[in-house]
Amino acid sequence: MLEQPWPWYVAGPLIGLIVPLLLLLAGREFGISSSLQHICAATLPGEAEYFRYDWKRKGLWNLVFVAGVAAGGFVAGWLFANPDPVAIADSTRSALAAMGVRDFSGLVPSDLIGWSALLTLRGFCAVVLGGFLVGFGARYAGGCTSGHAITGLATLQPASMLAVAGFFAGGLLVSWVVLPWLL
Amino acid sequence: MGRSAVAAVSAARAQRAAATADPPTRPLLVFGLGVYFGVALVKSEAASWFRIQEMFRFESFHMYGILGSAVVVAGLSVALIRRFGLERPGGGPARIEPKEPGNVTARLAGGFVFGLGWALLGACPGPIYALIGSGVTVLVVGLASAVAGAWAYGHLRDRLPH
């Protein structure tokens, strides 16, 4: 039973609760992508003003938080991993299969996102290029799904509405135009 | 009082204000909240590349249900916290600071770039960490790439439209 995935109406509210929990218990605003900035500030700030700050004071809590997220991934995705494939819509599955995705067994397709795929064009684009764009874009926009799409929309911030519009414009372009060509 | 003494006093005051504005770190608690979030990301399958494709193809309500209900619960909670004037640890009102409303270009362009990456990698930053923990170890490379992206942004910042 612990291995089963949760329906959206259980998972969504539980994810939403992280905002008040962090705010009331730790006095912090929910956001993940600032951890990328803190990692740069802690390791290789270079000449950029953007990385020249006291990362321990501003960011240590955030780095502890994302370490917890990884540990949570271990608990839910390793110790109590769902043995069944992700129950995506049949139409999605057949469209992705037609594009050449082969492995539907886990959370990600290992023939695209896996060590052996990393040296293929599509695997490189998905993991290395995709990761780079995620980090660059999240910092350019001032937040990612957690900071903008959840925290920002929940507090009706115009900046976050713009950012989320951008998320979808980019995502739609890749899912509908780039992936059918790349995969 | 000389000018330097005045400056010293105001600097000390600023330092004190900054110190009280800093909530205590509480590492175990923050780590625990991270675990909670990581479990939710995996069990909701929001950390699945397949779910992200399904979302951008509009072929299921699942991801919209997760994001929508998360936004409603977070919004109601923050409104209640304000209504009852609750404080954050270390003092001061527990509230979400408003993001700078300007920077329309940065929000849209940055959001667009993020969206490209989100659909390629099938994971935003939270799921990257959660997936690494779940055993998708190749995402260590994805994380390094994301850090490189943030690093590149930090160094190109002055030359990008904001």
Side-chain angles (χ1 to χ4, degrees):
Chain A
M1 186 203 150
L2 289 173
E3 295 171 349
Q4 293 308 303
W6 301 343
W8 66 264
Y9 49 83
V10 173
L14 287 176
I15 289 174
L17 278 178
I18 199 77
V19 172
L21 287 173
L22 266 177
L23 196 56
L24 288 177
L25 300 179
R28 302 292 185 171
E29 290 184 25
F30 178 46
I32 299 281
S33 73
S34 39
S35 65
L36 304 172
Q37 186 184 356
H38 302 317
I39 291 172
C40 292
T43 56
L44 207 86
E47 298 302 308
E49 194 65 28
Y50 190 62
F51 301 124
R52 299 236 168 236
Y53 57 89
D54 184 354
W55 65 272
K56 282 184 194 159
R57 216 188 97 197
K58 281 184 73 178
L60 189 57
W61 81 271
N62 197 248
L63 296 175
V64 172
F65 185 70
V66 298
V69 174
F74 175 73
V75 172
W78 182 273
L79 294 182
F80 299 103
N82 178 12
D84 301 321
V86 177
I88 48 170
D90 290 339
S91 51
T92 307
R93 188 182 168 119
S94 49
L96 293 173
M99 287 180 212
V101 174
R102 294 282 167 266
D103 174 25
F104 287 86
S105 64
L107 285 170
V108 306
S110 61
D111 53 331
L112 180 66
I113 297 170
W115 287 106
S116 53
L118 206 52
L119 292 177
T120 64
L121 176 68
R122 56 188 223 154
F124 181 86
C125 285
V127 174
V128 178
L129 181 63
F132 186 89
L133 295 174
V134 161
F136 188 98
R139 290 294 80 211
Y140 194 2
C144 60
T145 326
S146 53
H148 275 314
I150 296 178
T151 312
L153 290 189
T155 48
L156 303 174
Q157 316 241 6
S160 297
M161 296 177 195
L162 288 171
V164 173
F167 295 172
F168 271 83
L172 291 175
L173 181 67
V174 165
S175 280
W176 289 92
V177 180
V178 177
L179 285 183
W181 167 82
L182 178 71
L183 293 182
Chain B
M1 204 157 38
R3 194 170 290 170
S4 61
V6 172
V9 167
S10 69
R13 193 172 296 157
Q15 216 168 22
R16 244 191 335 268
T20 50
D22 257 6
T25 299
R26 297 187 175 172
L28 271 179
L29 176 113
V30 167
F31 186 83
L33 289 175
V35 172
Y36 164 90
F37 182 55
V39 168
L41 281 178
V42 168
K43 285 301 169 195
S44 67
E45 296 174 334
S48 166
W49 186 90
F50 299 110
R51 286 292 187 194
I52 303 306
Q53 300 310 325
E54 186 190 54
M55 170 181 80
F56 284 130
R57 298 179 60 85
F58 302 109
E59 288 172 331
S60 165
F61 183 69
H62 185 81
M63 284 301 303
Y64 296 97
I66 291 174
L67 284 168
S69 57
V71 166
V72 168
V73 167
L76 285 176
S77 313
V78 172
L80 283 173
I81 287 170
R82 190 170 42 211
R83 171 75 181 75
F84 292 105
L86 301 183
E87 296 211 332
R88 63 171 75 200
R95 64 190 176 105
I96 304 291
E97 299 297 331
K99 296 181 192 290
E100 291 168 47
N103 294 347
V104 172
T105 316
R107 305 298 186 191
L108 278 176
F112 181 75
V113 172
F114 175 82
L116 297 174
W118 191 11
L120 274 172
L121 184 65
C124 43
I128 292 178
Y129 293 108
L131 284 169
I132 290 173
S134 80
V136 185
T137 50
V138 72
L139 282 186
V140 171
V141 177
L143 176 62
S145 307
V147 171
W151 192 89
Y153 167 71
H155 284 79
L156 292 173
R157 199 162 188 246
D158 297 337
R159 278 178 261 169
L160 293 167
H162 275 88

